[in-house]
């Protein structure tokens, strides 16, 4: 028997089916915790924030358009909750307009060699990801760890698709530089 | 069942967490859409009024008159309204970014779209006599709320701009029947900036730039505001 799609489950939840909501929690709990782990500094917050994400998804389920994909919708809720929590922790200001989102970018297209990049970058990412600002960290996490497409990341973060590509590219460049610097320091310390 | 899932399901079953009804989300979207439309119409109204006021006072022709004229334009422009229009553009941009057609494309595209809609709306509204009628009624003391604004921007002394009808042509220029200041002697010299084919005739509508000295203006520039609104004379 084929597994019910997330969208079908959401439609049933909108009709009051609580059991199907439980299935959605099973599908997304580990993913959202992994996403939160890369985002929030204090691991004690992760369980609370993920719980709040599911609660908000339930209370707002009637706002979900079942003709669209469910995954970006719940990740959007998670993003908002994690960002608010991060702002609360770091007292960061709210930006209405980000310079990255103003102009179109011609070169930022989704590439097909993602699998190759995964192997090379996952080690680098784990070691130095905390140096990245949130605006670069998030699309990188969503793309490499949560396997979201550029289009879905655009929906989650509410930024232009071309900006998604630019930020992922910049994130990779910064990580590679940070990793090289780290290796150089380690080699220098050895000598 | 994980602890997290158990907590959530228990809260829902206990009634601590409830689904919000669909009509709330529909209403929110509808209100936002209405808000966008209201702000867009307000923006069109303000921008069209700015253009009307610039033409009504004659300041619109200032930039054609060289540095002096450009300075006249700068001093006469309704900067409060221009700042309000910019604020409305920013608010509209923030609202448009809430919709997928706004955030999926670079901000520049939606900003240009807003400016294009405001420009088109302004051109359409300026074809109607709306602002002219409100201006006329406000100068007679009517129009309770808007009248004050129309009088403020339409009647204030304009810096070195005079607009009116040529009463008679003289050897040195012409006599202008200014809409607000009555008869003024206009003297034209070699340095006066004039439009091409400047045949001054009686009853022609003109805009004159220059400092007034006891009822005489040594014109820095003269323009023919074709299609310009024709204000009613002030009560004396």
């Amino acid at each position: 028997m084929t597994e019910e799609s997330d969208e079908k489950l959401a439609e049933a939840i909108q009709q009051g089916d609580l059991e199907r909501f439980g299935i959605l929690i099973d599908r997304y709990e580990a993913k959202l915790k992994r996403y939160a782990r890369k985002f929030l500094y204090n691991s004690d917050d992760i369980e609370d924030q993920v719980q709040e994400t599911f609660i908000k998804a339930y209370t707002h389920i009637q706002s979900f358009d079942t003709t669209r994909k469910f995954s970006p919708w719940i990740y959007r809720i998670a993003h908002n909750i994690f960002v608010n929590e991060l702002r609360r922790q770091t007292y960061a200001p709210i930006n209405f307009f980000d310079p990255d989102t103003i102009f179109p970018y011609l070169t930022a297209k989704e590439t097909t060699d993602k699998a190759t990049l995964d192997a090379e970058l996952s080690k680098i990412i784990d070691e130095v990801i905390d140096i990245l600002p949130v605006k670069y960290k998030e699309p990188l996490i969503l793309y490499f760890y949560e396997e979201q497409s550029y289009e879905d990341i655009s929906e989650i973060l509410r930024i232009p698709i071309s900006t998604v590509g630019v930020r992922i590219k910049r994130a990779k460049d910064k990580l590679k530089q940070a990793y090289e610097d780290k290796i150089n320091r380690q080699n220098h310390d050895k000598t | 069942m994980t602890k997290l899932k158990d907590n959530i399901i228990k809260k829902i079953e206990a009634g601590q967490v409830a689904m919000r009804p669909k009509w709330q989300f529909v209403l929110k979207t509808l209100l936002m859409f209405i808000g966008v439309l209201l702000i867009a119409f307000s923006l069109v109204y303000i921008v069209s009024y700015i253009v009307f006021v610039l033409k009504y006072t004659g300041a619109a022709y200032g930039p054609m008159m060289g540095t002096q004229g450009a300075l006249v334009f700068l001093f006469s422009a309704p900067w409060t309204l221009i700042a309000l229009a910019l604020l409305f553009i920013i608010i509209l941009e923030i609202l448009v970014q809430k919709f997928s057609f706004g955030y999926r494309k670079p901000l520049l595209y939606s900003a240009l779209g807003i400016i294009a809609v405001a420009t088109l709306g302004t051109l359409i509204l300026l074809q109607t006599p709306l602002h002219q009628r409100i201006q006329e009624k406000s100068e007679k003391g009517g129009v309770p709320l808007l009248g004050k604004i129309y009088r403020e921007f339409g009647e204030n002394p304009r810096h070195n701009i005079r607009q009116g009808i040529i009463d008679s042509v003289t050897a040195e220029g012409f006599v202008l029947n200014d809409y607000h200041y009555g008869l003024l002697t206009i003297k034209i010299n070699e340095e006066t900036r004039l439009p091409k084919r400047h045949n001054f005739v009686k009853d022609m509508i003109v805009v004159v730039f220059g400092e007034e000295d006891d009822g005489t203006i040594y014109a820095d520039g003269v323009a023919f505001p074709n299609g310009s609104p024709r204000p009613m004379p002030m009560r004396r």
Side-chain angles (χ1 to χ4, degrees), chain A residues 13-14 18 21-22 25-26 29 47 50-51 54-55 58-63 68 96-97 101-104 154-155 158-161, chain B residues 1-5 7-9 11-13 17-22 25 90 93-94 97-100 103-109:
Chain A
I13 296 165
Q14 287 175 342
L18 191 54
F21 184 59
I25 296 176
D26 292 334
E29 183 179 344
E47 192 87 1
V50 172
Q51 179 171 290
F54 282 118
I55 286 173
Y58 184 79
T59 58
H60 287 68
I61 196 71
Q62 295 292 352
S63 72
R68 301 180 76 162
F96 280 112
F97 297 123
T101 65
I102 296 175
F103 299 105
S154 165
E155 284 297 319
R158 299 275 169 99
I159 57 176
I161 294 173
Chain B
M1 188 184 283
T2 63
K3 187 181 161 198
L4 180 138
K5 181 180 172 181
N7 283 346
I8 295 167
I9 298 295
K11 280 187 176 183
I12 295 170
E13 286 172 344
V17 171
M19 214 182 278
R20 283 167 62 179
K22 189 167 183 142
F25 302 107
I90 291 168
E93 182 61 50
I94 291 170
Q97 288 297 309
K98 302 278 183 196
F99 296 93
S100 59
Y103 61 72
R104 277 188 184 178
K105 296 290 178 190
L107 203 139
L108 182 68
Y109 292 1

Side-chain angles (χ1 to χ4, degrees), chain A residues 96-97, chain B residues 32 36 87-99 102 107 110 114:
Chain A
F96 280 112
F97 297 123
Chain B
M32 259 184 40
V36 166
L87 180 65
F88 272 41
I89 288 173
I90 291 168
I91 293 171
L92 207 50
E93 182 61 50
I94 291 170
L95 286 176
V96 161
Q97 288 297 309
K98 302 278 183 196
F99 296 93
L107 203 139
S110 51
I114 289 168

Side-chain angles (χ1 to χ4, degrees), chain B residues 209-231:
Chain B
F209 291 82
E211 268 191 63
E212 187 190 330
D213 181 15
D214 199 23
T216 300
I217 294 176
Y218 294 89
D220 293 321
V222 179
F224 295 144
N226 291 327
S228 172
R230 195 167 171 168

Side-chain angles (χ1 to χ4, degrees), chain A residues 28-39 46-47 50 54 82 146, chain B residues 2-4:
Chain A
Y28 281 92
E29 183 179 344
K31 289 180 190 179
L32 293 180
K33 278 182 177 172
R34 183 178 59 216
Y35 181 38
R37 223 171 277 126
K38 301 285 181 203
F39 223 107
I46 290 168
E47 192 87 1
V50 172
F54 282 118
F82 298 163
E146 307 306 321
Chain B
T2 63
K3 187 181 161 198
L4 180 138

